[in-house]
Amino acid sequence: MSYVIHYDVAAVVISAFTMISFLLRKNIMNYRTKVFYAILWGALLSGMMDIVTVLLMVITVPVWVTYAANMIYLLVFSSLSFLYFKYISSMLVRPTWWTRRRRIAIVIPYVVYAALLVTTPLTKWIFYVDADGAYVHGKLFHISYAVAFCYVFATLFYTQRNRRRFTKTQILSVTSYSVGLLASLFLQVSFPKILLLQFAVSVSVWLMYQALENTKNFEKTELGIYNRQGFMKIISCAVEDKEPMKLLGIRFNGFQVVRETLGVENSVAFHKQIVDFLSENLTKLDLCWMADGIYIACAKGNDRDESIENAIRFIHEEFNSAVKYQGMQIVISAAMFVLDYPKDVDKLEDILDMVDYEIEKVGEKEDGVVLRSSEEVLAKLRREHAIAQLMKRALADHKFEVYYQPIYSVAKKKYRSAEALVRLIDEELGFVGPDEFIPIAEKNGTIFELGEYVFRSVCSMLSRERLWEKGIEYIEVNLSPVQCMEADLHEKLFAIMDEYKLPCEYINLEITESATVSSEEILRRNIDPLLANGVTFSLDDYGTGYSNISNVISYPFHIIKIDKSMVWSAMKNDRAMRALRHTIAMIKDLDIHIVAEGVETAEQAQMLGVLGCGFLQGYYYSKPVPEKTFLKLLREAWDVDRLGQEVSK
């Protein structure tokens, strides 16, 4: 049988070109890249050996040479599909699908085939050399194609089974390559004289390199250093190889001013100047871009401690004064943190969490300060992670509880409203306060689902209990500043109120002053339609943080809630008392209702009533209580009030 080897020649050229491209670029050799490197060698070697086996058919050589060449080719070729499966599966950082039994099962086809191939000189099952010295397929030859088919199909199955852990690009790439390889297998079986398979393999490997392994995916091209994805690959490589590593986080302050002053183009050029300067002088470190002005320098090897300390001294010295750029003197400063693997952290996810945490915290420190990681910080991060997971479960299982704290009307001497407050209690973690889980929810985006959960609970309760018939005029529902940045927030709230057929007038939305600062335009787009339909608004925590009279004037607040710190201070300090008195007088003069928070004693309640505060909220009247307790409290108050009315008659 004569074979057409033109496609094999093209396959070798393509494989060689891919190999050269790979070797000429700076690669981060983690487990996945090492597997790809093995695939490159396999594709190149199998293509060359396929040509050699065809050439051996037309020249006279010892029989053992023919056997050896064909066995090498078939062993290498069959390993490619196995390696392909290993490569794709290694895309998962934590491949939980793998078990010991599955690991053994997945290697069995290749081991069985290798055993059949090694014994083929005796059995003649895969191939044999006849009496005339000709190469002949054995009765089990097509097992080589069957093994390849099994692994490629398994790759497709594995990808679909774990599709949530792959990106859309990865799924599309794997599906395309796998379908292409399967099609070439069928073509090769249908047209055995035309050696198409190696060509299909080489093209697939080239495409894999471009889409999945090309180092451009790990580079911040305009700066010539690794990007965040490259950083993740560097640390995953260190963790896989258990190679000690030290990280230096660098946060430069002043880039925002440069952008605003010099414009985007000059800002990019200045940024590049800084990066080039660092790269030229920190030659023993791998520099990674995390965000504008934020970098991680990675040090490995026995001298990593010395390299990091030298880098710290260098940055302190060089950025202690203004940086020259196009004749200008630009002042930027640096704050840094150091993280040691495995001394400080020994898990990949802990490294990533710690880096993000330190980047945030180092921005709050004075310039020149170098933060050192500790077990205390790691314990805090682990608790945050545990709370984040708890919140997801609590939302799915409806384990969050909405508590209510009544608000007392001084004029009517009864409860006229209440504030809805969310609570989270877990058997393992115990009571988790909102001051702890709300910031985590805002950071990871759970706040949107949580906010809807609370609002829906309040609307359901109001609609069911018809509290306005019991004297409750409205329920206050807190909105996070992050929720206020949601452009379609008003539409979602309207939809929920419509679902429960709840009139808008029974809802009061409570926002903090930070919301008015961070999202003014969007906030106004949400407030206007809600206000037009009867929803009222409260400004919470007045007297702390961003307290600004312009917010009171600019926004149509129905209620101002004075923070408990002002109330408590007024009881101890005469100046604070005068400030509170003038604040209440000013707000009343603007025709805005006032709720004083943190009322815990009869003395405080009396003082606030004298000052003219219309509504009081605090433990003196009631702590936040579960819905059932709140309703019972209202019924008791309602019964007392009704009894008093009957007596007066």
Side-chain angles (χ1 to χ4, degrees):
M1 180 183 291
S2 59
Y3 293 91
V4 178
I5 64 171
H6 302 87
Y7 289 102
D8 268 353
V9 174
V12 170
V13 173
I14 294 172
S15 295
F17 181 75
T18 307
M19 175 69 80
I20 292 170
S21 299
F22 178 84
L23 294 175
L24 287 178
R25 287 177 177 171
K26 187 178 181 181
N27 295 289
I28 306 168
M29 295 299 287
N30 64 353
Y31 175 76
R32 172 178 153 187
T33 304
K34 290 174 183 176
V35 173
F36 182 76
Y37 191 42
I39 291 174
L40 280 179
W41 276 112
L44 182 60
L45 183 58
S46 62
M48 293 171 63
M49 290 307 299
D50 202 15
I51 295 173
V52 169
T53 57
V54 173
L55 294 177
L56 290 178
M57 294 180 184
V58 297
I59 60 175
T60 302
V61 295
V63 173
W64 70 266
V65 174
T66 302
Y67 270 109
N70 280 278
M71 288 170 65
I72 291 172
Y73 164 67
L74 291 173
L75 277 172
V76 174
F77 170 76
S78 297
S79 71
L80 286 174
S81 55
F82 171 70
L83 291 171
Y84 175 60
F85 178 84
K86 292 291 289 181
Y87 176 78
I88 297 303
S89 66
S90 69
M91 288 181 181
L92 299 182
V93 176
R94 287 172 284 182
T96 55
W97 185 79
W98 284 104
T99 62
R100 180 181 176 83
R101 182 176 296 179
R102 282 172 173 159
R103 289 177 187 275
I104 295 173
I106 207 67
V107 79
I108 285 176
Y110 182 71
V111 171
V112 171
Y113 176 73
L116 291 173
L117 189 60
V118 170
T119 58
T120 200
L122 302 175
T123 64
K124 300 183 180 180
W125 284 347
I126 305 299
F127 71 90
Y128 61 92
V129 180
D130 64 15
D132 297 326
Y135 169 85
V136 182
H137 287 172
K139 58 184 178 181
L140 298 181
F141 176 80
H142 286 90
I143 284 182
S144 59
Y145 297 144
V147 170
F149 176 85
C150 286
Y151 281 122
V152 175
F153 183 79
T155 303
L156 268 176
F157 174 79
Y158 182 79
T159 305
Q160 293 303 316
R161 180 78 175 269
N162 297 274
R163 58 186 176 275
R164 292 184 179 179
R165 300 187 182 188
F166 292 92
T167 65
K168 291 182 179 179
T169 301
Q170 288 172 336
I171 292 175
L172 180 62
S173 300
V174 172
T175 303
S176 300
Y177 309 153
S178 300
V179 171
L181 287 172
L182 290 174
S184 65
L185 280 170
F186 284 115
L187 286 173
Q188 187 66 78
V189 173
S190 303
F191 304 98
K193 291 185 179 181
I194 303 175
L195 303 180
L196 291 168
L197 203 50
Q198 286 302 138
F199 181 75
V201 167
S202 63
V203 171
S204 294
V205 171
W206 166 251
L207 292 174
M208 284 169 60
Y209 174 61
Q210 290 299 314
L212 304 176
E213 197 61 36
N214 196 324
T215 53
K216 286 184 178 179
N217 297 328
F218 308 114
E219 294 177 358
K220 184 69 173 174
T221 309
E222 62 269 31
L223 299 179
I225 59 175
Y226 292 118
N227 58 17
R228 188 179 181 91
Q229 191 175 349
F231 167 72
M232 292 178 66
K233 193 169 183 182
I234 288 173
I235 61 173
S236 66
C237 180
V239 172
E240 287 168 4
D241 295 340
K242 299 188 183 305
E243 181 181 10
M245 178 177 63
K246 209 159 188 178
L247 306 178
L248 173 63
I250 311 164
R251 181 167 187 152
F252 287 108
N253 301 311
F255 274 103
Q256 183 65 29
V257 176
V258 172
R259 183 183 293 107
E260 293 172 356
T261 306
L262 303 181
V264 175
E265 187 175 342
N266 277 312
S267 175
V268 172
F270 178 69
H271 200 166
K272 182 71 166 62
Q273 176 180 309
I274 296 297
V275 170
D276 289 344
F277 182 67
L278 290 174
S279 299
E280 290 169 6
N281 290 278
L282 306 180
T283 54
K284 292 186 177 182
L285 307 179
D286 288 322
L287 195 61
C288 306
W289 175 91
M290 305 298 285
D292 284 349
I294 301 175
Y295 311 92
I296 303 289
C298 309
K300 299 178 182 179
N302 295 330
D303 61 345
R304 60 187 180 280
D305 291 337
E306 182 182 355
S307 298
I308 291 296
E309 294 305 321
N310 288 340
I312 291 172
R313 283 194 295 272
F314 171 78
I315 292 170
H316 275 320
E317 292 170 1
E318 295 298 327
F319 295 96
N320 193 38
S321 56
V323 177
K324 293 182 180 179
Y325 173 73
Q326 294 186 356
M328 294 178 284
Q329 299 284 333
I330 299 176
V331 177
I332 60 170
S333 56
M336 291 170 278
F337 68 86
V338 175
L339 181 63
D340 192 310
Y341 166 79
K343 182 180 178 182
D344 296 330
V345 283
D346 58 0
K347 295 179 181 178
L348 179 60
E349 55 268 30
D350 286 343
I351 296 176
L352 296 174
D353 288 344
M354 186 75 88
V355 165
D356 287 337
Y357 176 83
E358 296 286 17
I359 285 174
E360 180 181 347
K361 289 301 176 184
V362 78
E364 301 171 0
K365 301 297 181 181
E366 296 179 5
D367 297 331
V369 172
V370 180
L371 295 182
R372 307 281 175 170
S373 299
S374 65
E375 182 61 34
E376 181 182 349
V377 172
L378 185 57
K380 182 178 184 298
L381 288 174
R382 286 172 178 160
R383 179 170 173 82
E384 286 184 3
H385 180 72
I387 292 173
Q389 296 303 311
L390 172 61
M391 285 193 294
K392 290 180 181 179
R393 295 195 302 271
L395 284 168
D397 300 335
H398 301 280
K399 294 297 185 182
F400 276 105
E401 291 188 61
V402 178
Y403 279 42
Y404 295 87
Q405 186 172 30
I407 298 175
Y408 182 80
S409 169
V410 175
K412 297 184 178 180
K413 301 187 184 306
K414 62 177 69 174
Y415 298 134
R416 303 302 290 172
S417 60
E419 180 180 357
L421 300 160
V422 64
R423 295 292 183 262
L424 180 58
I425 303 172
D426 179 63
E427 292 182 2
E428 183 179 342
L429 295 179
F431 175 78
V432 182
D435 56 336
E436 188 172 17
F437 68 75
I438 292 294
I440 297 172
E442 290 177 334
K443 185 187 297 185
N444 64 20
T446 313
I447 191 66
F448 299 108
E449 191 176 352
L450 177 58
E452 182 176 330
Y453 178 97
V454 173
F455 191 74
R456 185 176 294 279
S457 298
V458 171
C459 290
S460 174
M461 185 274 293
L462 273 173
S463 178
R464 183 179 65 253
E465 300 294 335
R466 301 178 66 82
L467 293 187
W468 52 89
E469 296 176 355
K470 297 178 176 64
I472 298 299
E473 298 173 358
Y474 55 84
I475 297 292
E476 297 177 358
V477 182
N478 288 278
L479 291 180
S480 158
V482 177
Q483 283 180 275
C484 294
M485 296 173 67
E486 196 174 13
D488 61 346
L489 174 65
H490 62 284
E491 296 175 0
K492 292 181 178 180
L493 299 183
F494 279 138
I496 295 172
M497 287 186 283
D498 289 344
E499 180 182 340
Y500 292 99
K501 296 181 174 56
L502 181 70
C504 294
E505 65 197 70
Y506 300 128
I507 293 293
N508 176 276
L509 296 176
E510 193 171 304
I511 63 176
T512 60
E513 290 194 279
S514 59
T516 66
V517 173
S518 60
S519 53
E520 181 178 357
E521 183 179 348
I522 297 175
L523 179 61
R524 288 187 180 278
R525 288 208 302 265
N526 280 315
I527 283 181
D528 291 343
L530 289 165
L531 197 66
N533 283 274
V535 174
T536 55
F537 286 83
S538 297
L539 179 62
D540 195 20
D541 298 335
Y542 187 80
T544 63
Y546 293 94
S547 289
N548 193 326
I549 188 61
S550 66
N551 289 325
V552 177
I553 297 171
S554 301
Y555 290 91
F557 291 117
H558 180 69
I559 298 168
I560 301 296
K561 303 192 73 172
I562 296 177
D563 188 72
K564 62 185 179 183
S565 61
M566 284 193 73
V567 174
W568 293 352
S569 295
M571 301 300 295
K572 303 174 184 178
N573 185 296
D574 185 57
R575 294 182 65 184
M577 176 64 78
R578 289 200 297 271
L580 178 61
R581 182 185 301 113
H582 287 298
T583 297
I584 292 174
M586 175 197 67
I587 296 172
K588 285 184 65 179
D589 195 41
L590 293 172
D591 223 11
I592 299 174
H593 295 294
I594 303 169
V595 175
E597 297 179 303
V599 181
E600 296 189 350
T601 66
E603 184 184 4
Q604 290 174 340
Q606 184 180 6
M607 178 267 292
L608 290 164
V610 171
L611 291 179
C613 190
F615 298 89
L616 307 177
Q617 178 181 357
Y619 277 32
Y620 177 67
Y621 297 99
S622 173
K623 64 180 180 180
V625 293
E627 181 182 308
K628 288 183 179 179
T629 307
F630 171 65
L631 295 175
K632 181 181 178 182
L633 182 67
L634 291 184
R635 280 194 296 270
E636 292 173 352
W638 175 255
D639 291 340
V640 170
D641 186 51
R642 187 171 56 185
L643 181 61
Q645 290 177 1
E646 292 176 356
V647 170
S648 64
K649 290 179 181 178

